[in-house]
Amino acid sequence: MPVPGYDPEDIDDTLEALLEPNEIEDYLDDEQLEAYRNGGQDLVDLLEGNEIRRILDRKEGAIDAPD
């Protein structure tokens, strides 16, 4: 889910940096995980907005995320 005014690639890079590889499996079903691992889709395309915010909020001390 792209956020207006932000580059989806930057958001995706941030999500990937914040999540451990095995954590990604907690957020994606098997079909989504396969699409992600094959490079067909990015995390920002597969995760819901509330999931993205939860990841960023949980790790807020690790990044400088805008409100």
Side-chain angles (χ1 to χ4, degrees):
M1 179 179 132
V3 178
Y6 293 92
D7 183 350
E9 283 187 34
D10 290 344
I11 296 171
D12 199 65
D13 290 344
T14 300
L15 292 170
E16 288 177 344
L18 291 173
L19 291 170
E20 297 295 327
N22 61 338
E23 278 186 288
I24 293 170
E25 296 172 2
D26 295 338
Y27 288 93
L28 304 178
D29 64 29
D30 292 338
E31 186 177 309
Q32 292 171 321
L33 190 59
E34 183 177 341
Y36 168 72
R37 287 187 173 155
N38 290 331
Q41 291 190 320
D42 296 322
L43 289 175
V44 73
D45 297 321
L46 296 168
L47 296 172
E48 297 294 323
N50 63 338
E51 292 173 316
I52 292 171
R53 178 38 89 196
R54 190 173 353 140
I55 293 165
L56 295 176
D57 285 347
R58 181 174 53 120
K59 307 267 186 166
E60 192 171 49
I63 62 165
D64 183 20
D67 293 329

